[in-house]
């Protein structure tokens, strides 16, 4: 059976019995969870001299607002946190608005 990437990554949970899907995505999931479990910000981060915008899903159970705001010390110009309706895969339902916000932020940063 060929492995086709789902439009919504949450569909993978319904494909638990599909070996081709798990062969493709299991390494990605393992790496994501390893990063979540092991990464910690440095105690005294050196801020980068670049603007930084942070985005997240309002119902994301993996990355809470505190973890998103933890990016603020890594920049000299924190542009803020924007939350979108949805969970960890919020961007699947907000691709166009998110792309527009990112494009606008990049344009204003280039001025």
């Amino acid at each position: 059976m060929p492995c086709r990437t789902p439009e919504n990554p949450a569909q993978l949970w319904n494909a638990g019995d599909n070996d081709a899907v798990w062969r493709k995505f299991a390494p990605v999931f393992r790496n994501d969870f390893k990063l979540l479990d092991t990464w910690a910000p440095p105690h005294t981060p050196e801020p980068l001299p670049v603007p930084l915008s942070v985005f997240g899903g309002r119902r994301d159970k993996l990355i809470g607002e505190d973890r998103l705001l933890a990016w603020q010390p890594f920049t000299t110009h924190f542009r803020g946190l924007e939350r979108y309706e949805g969970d960890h895969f919020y961007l699947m339902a907000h691709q166009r608005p998110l792309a527009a916000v990112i494009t606008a932020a990049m344009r204003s940063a280039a001025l």
Side-chain angles (χ1 to χ4, degrees):
M1 172 182 250
C3 179
R4 192 171 66 82
T5 304
E7 291 181 21
N8 179 350
Q11 292 171 337
L12 290 174
W13 302 122
N14 297 327
D17 59 348
N18 186 328
D19 289 340
V21 170
W22 285 112
R23 273 195 303 278
K24 183 173 183 176
F25 288 101
V28 174
F29 290 149
R30 275 196 291 275
N31 289 334
D32 282 354
F33 289 128
K34 181 179 179 180
L35 181 62
L36 284 170
D37 289 341
T38 61
W39 185 81
H43 295 292
T44 55
E46 174 110 13
L48 297 171
V50 296
L52 178 68
S53 299
V54 177
F55 305 93
R58 286 190 185 103
R59 291 180 285 114
D60 189 336
K61 294 182 194 287
L62 294 174
I63 308 295
E65 185 171 325
D66 58 329
R67 301 261 318 259
L68 295 170
L69 290 172
W71 285 99
Q72 190 168 357
F74 290 90
T75 180
T76 58
H77 185 90
F78 187 67
R79 297 180 57 93
L81 168 62
E82 291 198 39
R83 308 283 305 268
Y84 289 83
E85 190 54 42
D87 56 17
H88 193 65
F89 299 108
Y90 72 94
L91 57 98
M92 301 303 285
H94 302 283
Q95 291 176 9
R96 288 189 191 275
L98 190 55
V101 169
I102 292 170
T103 301
M106 292 175 66
R107 283 188 179 133
S108 70
L111 298 177

